[in-house]
Amino acid sequence: MFITFEGMDGAGKTTQIRLLQERLEKAGERVAVTREPGGNALAEKIRALLLDPESEMDPLTEAYLYAAARAEHVRRVILPALQRGETVLCDRYLDSSLAYQGYGRGLGEETVRRINAQAVAGCLPDRTYLLRVPEEAAARRVGARGQRDRIESAGEAFLRRVEAGFCRLAEREPARILAVDASGTAEEIARRIAEDVAKLQTRETGKA
Ligand code: TYD
């Protein structure tokens, strides 16, 4: 199974991925945890370029760089792990590009889908958890981490467009994207996600 976690910066994705990983591994599953942009050496270099506050780039260049990192990541990390029978948990994926570059930067969802079509090569998540927190709470978590990266410092209006983009994607694809209210405790949220994963696994076993 391929599971992705999405949401604004500071929504607690990393914590939830770790908690789900622990739960699945305790149940005897093999789990691969990875993130975008990144996940292997070259993609991490592209990540550094993208997040460096000193990098100046056109939105289209930005979209292509995220897609380039993704092409590498899909082929060298995600697909091989899925083929080995592992459950893949990925911190951000295609939906982030649709929300940040498509809606946030204003390139439009269709343009960003087109740019990414070959990069993802049909490898789409079975389930996506969209972690939603009130804006101030997310801003507080990001603030507490210290320096903001290039994307985080793109401004309030940009972040509101990204958030609205995520909402639109979730409304449009309710069968895949589950919006999770992430304002509770980490344990509560983890329980909600684990219950959903268990349901999905039952469904998958039923199919097999
Ligand atoms: P992330 O690793 O989630 O950052 P952090 O660890 O600081 O939460 O993602 C890095 C940034 O890249 C984040 O601000 C969102 C952005 N991003 C895009 O704009 N488009 C994309 O396709 C992806 C994957 C991330």
Side-chain angles (χ1 to χ4, degrees):
M1 232 185 348
F2 177 27
I3 301 177
T4 62
F5 288 74
E6 297 282 1
M8 306 300 290
D9 292 291
K13 290 180 277 94
T14 315
T15 306
Q16 289 306 320
I17 290 173
R18 184 174 45 77
L19 292 173
L20 182 60
Q21 176 187 18
E22 283 170 11
R23 218 176 249 253
L24 293 174
E25 284 180 344
K26 259 194 215 141
E29 282 184 49
R30 283 178 307 144
V31 182
V33 172
T34 187
R35 69 165 180 184
E36 287 209 343
N40 78 353
L42 178 62
E44 290 289 339
K45 281 191 194 163
I46 301 176
R47 176 190 176 89
L49 267 179
L50 278 162
L51 300 187
D52 181 356
E54 304 282 304
S55 300
E56 266 198 50
M57 64 182 81
D58 187 86
L60 197 60
T61 313
E62 183 179 288
Y64 274 112
L65 283 175
Y66 278 109
R70 186 161 298 128
E72 192 64 17
H73 188 220
V74 166
R75 284 159 185 76
R76 294 187 194 256
V77 179
I78 299 177
L79 287 175
L82 291 171
Q83 273 154 10
R84 289 192 301 267
E86 295 170 12
T87 297
V88 175
L89 308 182
C90 187
D91 191 339
R92 297 193 185 281
Y93 192 60
L94 176 61
D95 297 306
S96 275
S97 279
L98 301 175
Y100 282 83
Q101 283 66 56
Y103 290 95
R105 298 291 192 210
L107 288 176
E109 191 182 324
E110 276 319 304
T111 301
V112 179
R113 274 196 197 279
R114 242 179 289 127
I115 288 173
N116 277 276
Q118 288 189 309
V120 301
C123 176
L124 296 172
D126 299 295
R127 172 61 95 216
T128 296
Y129 296 106
L130 173 61
L131 301 188
R132 306 202 52 204
V133 280
E135 216 173 286
E136 317 81 71
R140 235 181 292 125
R141 290 193 208 173
V142 170
R145 279 191 223 156
Q147 219 195 344
R148 292 171 173 227
D149 65 41
R150 195 177 60 85
I151 305 284
E152 285 162 357
S153 39
E156 295 295 315
F158 169 79
L159 294 177
R160 272 196 296 276
R161 289 195 297 275
V162 174
E163 168 91 79
F166 274 129
C167 288
R168 191 174 304 183
L169 295 170
E171 278 164 19
R172 195 126 35 78
E173 271 193 81
R176 171 177 65 90
I177 305 179
L178 182 70
V180 179
D181 173 4
S183 56
T185 68
E187 287 70 26
E188 281 163 8
I189 303 157
R191 204 173 317 121
R192 170 95 206 278
I193 292 175
E195 281 167 10
D196 181 72
V197 171
K199 256 193 262 163
L200 278 182
Q201 287 173 324
T202 318
R203 204 173 74 186
E204 290 296 308
T205 323
K207 260 198 268 169

